[in-house]
Amino acid sequence: MAQTADIFSNIGKKKGDGNGGNENAGNRNAVHSQTLVSLLSQFGLTAIGFLSTIYFTRVVNPAIVGVYFLFFSYSALFYLFSESGIGESSVKLISEGKARNEYYTASMALRAVYLILCVAGLLISAVIFPTSTIMETGIFWWIIAALFIDYFYNSRIYAAYADGKINAFQVSLFLNTAVRSLFQIGIVYLGYHSFGLMGGFLVGMIFAAIFAHRYNQLKLVKFSKENFKRILTYAVLIFLVMSCYLIYQNIDVVFIGRYMTETDAGIYRIVYQFSMLAGLAATSVKAVLYPKFSAWNETKQYENITEGLRSGTSLSLMLAIPIFFSFLILGYDFISLFYGEAYIPGVPALFLLSFIQIITVFMYLQSICLNAISHPKYAFLSIAAGITANVILNIVLIPVYGMEGAALATVIAMLLNSALAYLLLRKVIPIRYNWISILKMVIASLLMCVFLLGFKYVLPITNVIYLLTAFVVGGLLYGLIMLKADRAIHDEVAEMVTSFGVKWPKWL
């Protein structure tokens, strides 16, 4: 039988060395622990954000919540320009291991230039447009403060990330969300709704920056024009890719709002965000593998990159595939019990959107691999082709099929994007996926669906407790089947857990 999923077991191994040597074994252990921390962090971030949002929508006046989300959206937009891909480019160049301090300093200088330009643009716009939404809602100075704090926040966490301290990077992200939510809940509870929401946004970044700074070993030194130019070149290309991702995440909503109603756009956005639960593992794996791909590319360890891509894809699909199938059975229950009957029209779109998360695993990891191995142009070309197709298909399909048409347009666009990224990446490195293990994931997910259907027949899902019980038990059943059906996955999951000093049960 063909070789099944190895996850991360072969990374760093040398031919003729069954153990891979102490150094390589340590390298694999680091990848295991970093992946687990990253995954737990992503789940924690999602849970905290989900629960805090429910609290605010029930306690705070909708107008104040609307102003906060307006502040949040504008801040994200201005971050895109003040950041402009500098963080990702600094990770790429610093992780290569050459002129690390010089590239770090050059990235800080470039950030400062962009920050000054962004703030200057905001100040000029305030004078020219004194009655703009930003000015009338009172969020102008909050945005200015957020930009300055973000300068230190992003420079700290990306310094840790580029230096290989991925656990510190993930914990910093978690701290940002956790401190923000706790501050917001506490201050809102005291009755200071607007200050609590906006202030928490800033306080979370401050605490996370302080934490990440403790792990920063990079120094500010004199850098050359070449260092600055290379950072800028990569930043521009990665900025284009980041901008495309932003368009991908919002273009459907824009067209639904244009061809349908604002209510339809809101429903679609809610189910889209919910579908992203299936993509959490891909986000976690990306955080671990991106700097390692870059370092391996610099030392020409292309086999490690191939193995890492294959293993990371398998690990990401282990979550994406069963969640897609579980949403087919429990989608209506999740949406009606979590968000209310008004959002049920979005459930058919949820089915397609959760399938998109499976395709996104391939697109996402292939794209970050192209960036890491010094081919960001290929990543941009593939995602630009996907966006072009998405825009055309949205115009054609939404007027006919509504929200389902928007989701179908994205499915087709993502398939095109993934196929192009695959073809372009294959020109640079060999690509090998574990199709046998992926097939086992599908079979295990189908068996899980049989259980979920039986659960719903015996015990109709009428409340959140029954829903979560079915979802969790079904997930455990899927996991148990996979551990028994695929020995390589069993060994890798066991090694990942034991890397934290936790004893693996013998019966598994």
Side-chain angles (χ1 to χ4, degrees), residues 108-131:
M108 292 286 289
L110 185 57
R111 284 180 190 276
V113 172
Y114 282 171
L115 174 63
I116 292 170
L117 293 174
C118 202
V119 171
L122 273 169
L123 293 172
I124 292 171
S125 68
V127 175
I128 299 176
F129 306 106
T131 59

Side-chain angles (χ1 to χ4, degrees), residues 245-267:
Y245 280 128
L246 188 65
I247 294 172
Y248 247 141
Q249 293 172 358
N250 295 280
I251 194 67
D252 291 355
V253 177
V254 172
F255 277 106
I256 289 174
R258 167 66 177 83
Y259 290 109
M260 301 176 71
T261 67
E262 289 79 5
T263 299
D264 294 316
I267 292 173

Side-chain angles (χ1 to χ4, degrees), residues 425-438:
L425 182 59
R426 194 175 64 173
K427 293 171 58 177
V428 186
I429 63 169
I431 302 177
R432 298 187 294 269
Y433 289 125
N434 292 312
W435 297 112
I436 297 297
S437 284
I438 294 171

Side-chain angles (χ1 to χ4, degrees), residues 51-120:
L51 294 174
S52 61
T53 300
I54 291 177
Y55 175 74
F56 300 143
T57 55
R58 294 177 182 271
V59 174
V60 180
N61 185 293
I64 297 177
V65 175
V67 171
Y68 169 66
F69 280 116
L70 188 64
F71 162 67
F72 188 91
S73 298
Y74 271 112
S75 297
L77 178 61
F78 287 117
Y79 288 163
L80 178 65
F81 289 101
S82 64
E83 161 63 20
S84 294
I86 300 171
E88 295 283 344
S89 63
S90 65
V91 171
K92 158 64 182 166
L93 297 176
I94 293 171
S95 62
E96 290 179 352
K98 298 177 181 178
R100 291 158 52 84
N101 291 323
E102 288 80 358
Y103 283 123
Y104 167 65
T105 311
S107 70
M108 292 286 289
L110 185 57
R111 284 180 190 276
V113 172
Y114 282 171
L115 174 63
I116 292 170
L117 293 174
C118 202
V119 171

